[in-house]
Amino acid sequence: METQVTKLSKWVKQLRAQVPVVKSKLINEIPGPINFPFIGNIIYFCDPKYGLDPRHTLRTMKYVNGKYGPMVRLKVPLRPTMVFLFDPYLCEKVYSSLGCQPVRPAFDALTFVQSRRQSWQGKKGLLVSHKEEWKDMRTKVQQPMLRPETAKCYISQLEEIATEFIENKVIPHRNKNNEMPDDFQQELYKWALECVMLISLNTRMGCLQNTLPKGSDAENLIEAVGSIFRLNQRLDMGMQLWRYTPLQGPTMRRFQRTCDLFYTISEKHVQISIEKIRKNGTAAQKKTLLELFHEKGCDEKTFTIMALDMLFAGIDTASHTVAFALFLLASHKNKQEKLYREVVEKVGMDGSLD
């Protein structure tokens, strides 16, 4: 393992040495679409074929990268100038310059909602905090979350979830060409929610049942997750006029209600998990994430917010990563065979990691 790490380190250093030294640019020197007074350049920050439709964001990014290069400037009215980077070396430079107290502007709508949540008493999670607040939160939770041993206690249960997903949500829904329906992403949300609830809250929600009870926590969480992702994308784009109106607008109000539902249900299950830990202790050899937080002396508010961060960030990233991986595998059948042979070689014919 050490040899592989050493080789990787040398390879990274060689790549960095090949990167030409470039003179820093002023913000106005960075290329981008033509800029107009008051309205900026957002109206031309798109692929002409698809326009400003947020569903085609990836196509927009590919288009502006191809037209303007690895660094592109975007100016939106009422918001600071933004710079998009498409070169990993430039990204590395930005991240390495941030130090241990980074400022990471993102999730504007979520930041707005969390800042108004009175029960959190002004605390924020890693997703939306900056500088000293981010450093403080990271220091409290990083050791339990970065331990490889932590993952081992979940392997058998995650395999059960994967098997249940295939049996209930994949095989029965294939058509005669073995293709999945257009709304398959929704089923991946359910799989990701079940996995992340297990890891963050030590519980199974039953999201993969063939029929969920009407009004159940599982059903409400699944619907809330889908709505949150769609609404957050709409609210974070453009001029964000919801910041400047007393009533925030219908989309933001709906986003707030949906987040409140999501947080209320999640907080209920966090409390249930905390009570179990208090009652049963943390004597087990393989400790779960919440048990490790408890052992490290994290206060209840800290690991409640961390668990909610994991739910919000984990569902989106896990479900979309798997969706892209499945799409690429389906598009390249020779890679499917290569992956299969590697799994058999490294794991065994039964595919079990436990």
Side-chain angles (χ1 to χ4, degrees):
M1 181 66 183
E2 291 181 0
T3 305
Q4 292 176 340
V5 172
T6 304
K7 287 181 179 179
L8 180 61
S9 178
K10 289 181 179 178
W11 179 71
V12 170
K13 287 180 181 178
Q14 289 172 356
L15 286 177
R16 286 178 177 171
Q18 297 172 13
V19 181
V21 178
V22 294
K23 180 179 176 295
S24 299
K25 292 186 177 183
L26 297 174
I27 191 73
N28 291 331
E29 296 175 335
I30 297 172
I34 185 170
N35 195 54
F36 295 96
F38 305 112
I39 64 171
N41 64 0
I42 188 173
I43 58 174
Y44 290 112
F45 196 91
C46 62
D47 184 332
K49 185 177 179 181
Y50 300 100
L52 293 170
D53 189 337
R55 294 174 298 176
H56 299 292
T57 299
L58 292 178
R59 291 188 173 98
T60 290
M61 294 303 167
K62 184 176 180 180
Y63 175 81
V64 298
N65 176 210
K67 185 169 183 177
Y68 300 106
M71 188 184 299
V72 185
R73 174 175 46 85
L74 171 63
K75 179 58 181 172
V76 180
L78 304 178
R79 297 182 65 184
T81 299
M82 290 173 272
V83 176
F84 289 83
L85 302 179
F86 299 95
D87 186 321
Y89 301 110
L90 295 175
C91 297
E92 191 268 343
K93 290 292 183 185
V94 171
Y95 284 125
S96 63
S97 70
L98 293 176
C100 61
Q101 296 187 29
V103 176
R104 307 164 309 133
F107 299 107
D108 297 325
L110 184 66
T111 303
F112 180 83
V113 170
Q114 287 194 6
S115 66
R116 294 162 68 95
R117 193 164 181 80
Q118 295 181 354
S119 62
W120 289 15
Q121 300 170 352
K123 286 194 175 183
K124 303 188 189 80
L126 290 175
L127 275 177
V128 301
S129 56
H130 308 287
K131 294 188 175 181
E132 186 66 33
E133 188 179 25
W134 181 89
K135 180 185 177 184
D136 180 59
M137 187 72 170
R138 172 70 186 261
T139 302
K140 290 178 180 177
V141 302
Q142 67 179 358
Q143 188 175 358
M145 294 196 70
L146 296 178
R147 289 173 72 250
E149 289 294 319
T150 305
K152 292 182 179 179
C153 68
Y154 298 108
I155 289 177
S156 61
Q157 290 172 287
L158 288 173
E159 287 189 333
E160 289 176 11
I161 293 173
T163 301
E164 190 177 331
F165 174 70
I166 292 169
E167 292 176 349
N168 292 352
K169 300 299 179 182
V170 176
I171 295 175
H173 298 286
R174 288 172 174 165
N175 64 18
K176 61 182 179 181
N177 297 320
N178 279 331
E179 296 170 336
M180 299 305 297
D182 291 341
D183 63 352
F184 183 56
Q185 183 66 52
Q186 190 69 16
E187 302 302 327
L188 287 173
Y189 283 151
K190 296 176 184 178
W191 163 79
L193 177 57
E194 192 76 4
C195 292
V196 179
M197 286 292 286
L198 170 68
I199 294 170
S200 60
L201 303 181
N202 303 347
T203 189
R204 290 287 305 271
M205 292 294 293
C207 299
L208 301 177
Q209 298 176 32
N210 287 322
T211 55
L212 290 173
K214 194 69 177 174
S216 65
D217 284 353
E219 182 186 55
N220 288 333
L221 273 178
I222 291 166
E223 291 180 359
V225 165
S227 296
I228 285 171
F229 295 149
R230 289 192 299 271
L231 295 171
N232 188 75
Q233 184 182 39
R234 288 170 58 186
L235 291 163
D236 276 5
M237 293 187 68
M239 293 187 289
Q240 299 186 351
L241 293 175
W242 46 266
R243 291 179 179 274
Y244 307 100
T245 57
L247 298 178
Q248 283 82 53
T251 304
M252 173 51 81
R253 292 199 297 273
R254 184 182 170 199
F255 182 69
Q256 287 179 294
R257 290 195 301 270
T258 307
C259 285
D260 284 342
L261 175 64
F262 177 86
Y263 289 139
T264 299
I265 296 173
S266 300
E267 285 175 343
K268 181 179 81 172
H269 287 278
V270 169
Q271 292 302 316
I272 293 172
S273 298
I274 291 171
E275 289 304 318
K276 287 181 180 178
I277 292 172
R278 287 174 176 162
K279 182 179 179 181
N280 302 325
T282 60
Q285 188 174 0
K286 293 182 179 180
K287 294 181 174 61
T288 63
L289 208 48
L290 276 183
E291 289 170 341
L292 289 169
F293 287 159
H294 188 267
E295 273 195 352
K296 291 295 178 182
C298 289
D299 60 272
E300 188 174 306
K301 191 65 64 179
T302 296
F303 58 73
T304 297
I305 294 174
M306 192 63 231
L308 294 172
D309 255 11
M310 290 171 63
L311 282 168
F312 188 88
I315 295 166
D316 184 39
T317 51
S319 60
H320 286 104
T321 299
V322 169
F324 278 114
L326 292 175
F327 172 77
L328 292 171
L329 284 170
S331 303
H332 302 86
K333 292 188 177 181
N334 61 319
K335 305 303 180 187
Q336 292 182 40
E337 181 61 28
K338 183 178 179 181
L339 177 60
Y340 171 75
R341 290 198 302 269
E342 184 174 335
V343 170
V344 170
E345 178 187 346
K346 302 295 184 181
V347 180
M349 281 298 293
D350 64 353
S352 176
L353 295 170
D354 194 10

